[in-house]
Amino acid sequence: MLIILTVFLVIATVIMVFLRKNMEVLLLLGLCFSLMMQIVGVMIFIAKKGGISTSVMQLFYFTDGIVNVIRYFYITLGQLGFLVTLGRFLFPFFLIALAINYSMIRFIRQNTWIIKAAAILPVTTIILYYPTVYHGIVKPNENYQLYFAQASMMWIVIYLITAVVLLLKEYFSITMKLCKAQFRKIIFSLFSLTGLYLLYFRQDPGQIYRFYSSPFAWNKGVGYLQGSPTILSYTALILVSTVCCILGFYSLFSFTGDNFAESRDEAAIRRKFDTAKIGASMFVHSMKNQILSNKVIYKRISAVFEEEPTDGEKLKEYIGALETSNTNMLRRVEELYRFVKTNEIYMVPVYLEEIISSAVEKFKEKHGEAEVEIEYREKIQVLADKTHFCEALSNIISNGYEAMIEANTHKTKKMLIKCYNERLYSVIEIRDFGTGMSQSVRKRVFEPFFSSKNSNHNWGMGLYYVREIVKGHLGMINIESTEGEGSSFFVMLPRY
């Protein structure tokens, strides 16, 4: 049963590899593979050496037929011991490598040699435990078997404790609810797998290599010669193992499901926009022609009314305002068309204070009466296209303020903008106290041409544009929203 569950763990991790091809998932795959090798080795070892009751055997393997298949499976003690060696010594390495990969401690992130240094002890131990090498060292002096076991047990425990401390420190340092919820699934999975590993990690490969030697029983491995365990204790062992394995699998599956849903939603949104892209381009082109026609019309009106003696100065003032408005509209439409056509973003180092102030200034051109509270926890520089990024942020702020107008909270509360660093990202948090969004609306809010407002005046392209700009900056955008309380948009750019 345990072998089947660990195989499912590996399958879930392989699925994650296809969804997210990064170092984190590869390390997780190595962790699950090493755990599977350890458990498979231990289960074969127990079946072959016997020494426990039939009822206990049935707990481990269900039927006598399965026990006999495993018992008579051809494998030497050297091969079996080395299988356990690989699983036992690679698991703590992959665990601490994952903890290092997740850690945001400055010293760890600035010194990439740490993970290479962490590999020295596992690699050295695996070499020493290679059957030929191990027998060559231990055979002349059996005391070396004890020294090897104690030394390997010591560094394994140190690695496990260090990894757990790093993971817990990272978890409690996260302040964003969304990031904390995602990391909770990861840490829960890792701790469940570690709990399963701890149940069997005392099985030293030397006990398998030298099964018939006198110091076989010194290290409380798995099996007999370790006292007289009861059927209840074995039942508890199986139960705890199964629970740990199922919890680990569930957390991995949940995390994999989140990534699959994210990829699926991304593909769906992309298909919808591809369908609408031609229509959008034609719309922009026709709007451009209409504005050019308006320019011809106002020039004719200007020519006619300049000949009239009545209120010519006022008329010129209105005509000048119309010309300015049309010129600005034409420029904005050309910018939008150029972006849709080329999708080019030019990123340079810029401080968030500059971007936020420009975005708020642009927002106040439309809502001059609005009040915005801005909090900078530190001076942050990012790589960004200032023009596009300011436009995107201004759009989010406008949407939030309009939601506050709808909820009638704009007179008593302010829009909040916070800028801070969170793990690998520089975060811009934009908080409104408007009507909030239901879960169904929140899922569709980034779709092109979707709007929960009056469709005659809102085309539903604003937040899609925001999302494309953020993704063009190699960033992410997420929403937390509660109906009746408001929404928070988290724009996350890679730390520069």
Side-chain angles (χ1 to χ4, degrees):
M1 182 178 182
L2 292 178
I3 296 175
I4 295 173
L5 289 173
T6 51
V7 168
F8 276 116
L9 280 172
V10 172
I11 291 173
T13 315
V14 170
I15 293 173
M16 287 184 64
V17 170
F18 284 102
L19 293 176
R20 300 182 64 181
K21 299 177 179 66
N22 56 26
M23 180 59 67
E24 164 196 335
V25 176
L26 291 176
L27 291 173
L28 190 56
L29 181 62
L31 188 79
C32 290
F33 261 119
S34 59
L35 181 62
M36 185 178 69
M37 286 189 289
Q38 183 201 29
I39 289 179
V40 168
V42 170
M43 290 296 104
I44 294 174
F45 180 54
I46 294 174
K48 282 185 172 295
K49 70 184 180 58
I52 52 181
S53 66
T54 304
S55 57
V56 171
M57 277 292 192
Q58 288 178 345
L59 268 177
F60 276 106
Y61 308 101
F62 296 125
T63 67
D64 293 336
I66 295 176
V67 174
N68 290 331
V69 168
I70 297 176
R71 179 175 294 160
Y72 297 110
F73 175 73
Y74 180 75
I75 184 172
T76 66
L77 288 177
Q79 293 168 340
L80 181 58
F82 195 64
L83 180 65
V84 174
T85 294
L86 291 174
R88 186 179 190 234
F89 300 130
L90 286 178
F91 184 93
F93 166 71
F94 283 120
L95 183 65
I96 201 168
L98 276 166
I100 291 171
N101 183 70
Y102 285 125
S103 177
M104 293 295 113
I105 297 174
R106 185 180 294 273
F107 176 78
I108 292 177
R109 299 212 69 83
Q110 289 181 343
N111 295 278
T112 55
W113 54 265
I114 293 178
I115 196 167
K116 297 177 182 176
I120 293 175
L121 281 174
V123 171
T124 303
T125 309
I126 288 172
I127 293 172
L128 291 175
Y129 269 87
Y130 188 75
T132 307
V133 177
Y134 186 84
H135 285 297
I137 297 174
V138 171
K139 191 173 182 179
N141 187 346
E142 290 189 342
N143 288 329
Y144 284 120
Q145 181 175 354
L146 180 61
Y147 300 151
F148 275 18
Q150 289 177 336
S152 61
M153 180 71 75
M154 185 179 300
W155 74 254
I156 286 174
V157 171
I158 291 173
Y159 271 42
L160 295 179
I161 292 174
T162 303
V164 169
V165 170
L166 288 175
L167 289 169
L168 288 176
K169 185 180 187 307
E170 190 58 33
Y171 175 75
F172 288 111
S173 68
I174 297 173
T175 57
M176 289 175 58
K177 290 182 180 178
L178 182 68
C179 291
K180 200 156 193 170
Q182 290 180 334
F183 196 72
R184 189 183 301 120
K185 294 178 182 178
I186 296 171
I187 202 171
F188 198 65
S189 172
L190 295 180
F191 284 178
S192 297
L193 298 179
T194 303
L196 185 58
Y197 172 80
L198 288 173
L199 293 174
Y200 302 95
F201 86 117
R202 292 186 304 171
Q203 180 63 65
D204 187 82
Q207 294 173 299
I208 302 173
Y209 290 146
R210 298 172 57 79
F211 183 84
Y212 300 104
S213 64
S214 56
F216 169 78
W218 57 261
N219 186 36
K220 293 188 179 300
V222 177
Y224 65 90
L225 300 182
Q226 308 298 331
S228 302
T230 63
I231 184 66
L232 183 62
S233 63
Y234 274 113
T235 304
L237 176 65
I238 291 293
L239 183 62
V240 173
S241 301
T242 304
V243 169
C244 288
C245 204
I246 290 174
L247 289 176
F249 176 75
Y250 173 78
S251 299
L252 268 180
F253 185 80
S254 177
F255 187 66
T256 303
D258 289 347
N259 284 278
F260 177 75
E262 182 180 341
S263 301
R264 181 189 59 201
D265 293 344
E266 168 71 20
I269 290 175
R270 175 59 59 188
R271 283 196 302 271
K272 288 182 180 180
F273 183 70
D274 287 342
T275 303
K277 195 171 184 179
I278 296 175
S281 298
M282 291 178 64
F283 168 77
V284 171
H285 183 68
S286 63
M287 191 174 182
K288 177 182 178 182
N289 290 337
Q290 182 61 54
I291 294 172
L292 290 173
S293 298
N294 289 344
K295 291 189 71 173
V296 174
I297 292 172
Y298 82 69
K299 284 182 179 179
R300 290 177 179 176
I301 293 174
S302 177
V304 171
F305 280 92
E306 279 181 356
E307 296 176 0
E308 297 291 334
T310 56
D311 207 4
E313 293 298 323
K314 192 70 174 178
L315 184 59
K316 287 182 180 179
E317 181 182 342
Y318 289 151
I319 291 173
L322 178 61
E323 180 179 13
T324 301
S325 174
N326 276 337
T327 300
N328 289 336
M329 288 175 65
L330 184 61
R331 177 178 56 82
R332 295 291 294 277
V333 169
E334 286 176 342
E335 286 181 359
L336 175 61
Y337 181 76
R338 187 166 56 251
F339 172 74
V340 171
K341 182 180 178 181
T342 62
N343 199 25
E344 291 178 342
I345 291 178
Y346 299 96
M347 296 189 292
V348 296
V350 58
Y351 286 101
L352 277 185
E353 289 183 30
E354 299 177 40
I355 295 176
I356 298 298
S357 60
S358 297
V360 171
E361 184 178 340
K362 184 179 288 291
F363 158 70
K364 287 199 172 184
E365 290 176 4
K366 185 177 180 181
H367 300 285
E369 76 287 355
E371 293 188 39
V372 181
E373 184 178 328
I374 306 173
E375 177 186 326
Y376 299 101
R377 296 183 186 175
E378 52 191 301
K379 197 173 183 66
I380 301 173
Q381 194 175 32
V382 295
L383 279 176
D385 183 315
K386 187 176 177 181
T387 301
H388 282 304
F389 205 67
C390 285
E391 184 77 29
L393 293 182
S394 175
N395 202 309
I396 298 175
I397 300 170
S398 295
N399 276 11
Y401 187 70
E402 288 167 7
M404 290 177 65
I405 292 176
E406 186 178 345
N408 199 29
T409 57
H410 62 294
K411 295 180 180 179
T412 57
K413 294 185 178 181
K414 303 177 183 178
M415 289 284 299
L416 297 179
I417 302 177
K418 298 180 181 180
C419 300
Y420 52 90
N421 285 325
E422 182 78 43
R423 305 192 76 238
L424 290 174
Y425 295 95
S426 294
V427 182
I428 304 167
E429 180 182 342
I430 302 174
R431 166 78 166 148
D432 68 68
F433 299 91
T435 54
M437 289 180 276
S438 65
Q439 186 175 359
S440 59
V441 171
R442 194 162 65 247
K443 286 182 177 180
R444 300 190 60 194
V445 75
F446 292 116
E447 291 182 8
F449 303 111
F450 172 79
S451 176
S452 58
K453 303 174 185 176
N454 188 333
S455 59
N456 293 326
H457 301 91
N458 296 278
W459 300 339
M461 287 296 292
L463 288 179
Y464 175 80
Y465 170 77
V466 169
R467 185 176 180 274
E468 288 298 294
I469 292 297
V470 173
K471 288 178 69 66
H473 284 72
L474 309 179
M476 299 187 300
I477 182 168
N478 287 294
I479 306 173
E480 291 180 4
S481 185
T482 304
E483 289 188 85
E485 296 182 12
S487 305
S488 291
F489 283 76
F490 296 90
V491 179
M492 298 178 283
L493 299 182
R495 289 178 66 170
Y496 175 61

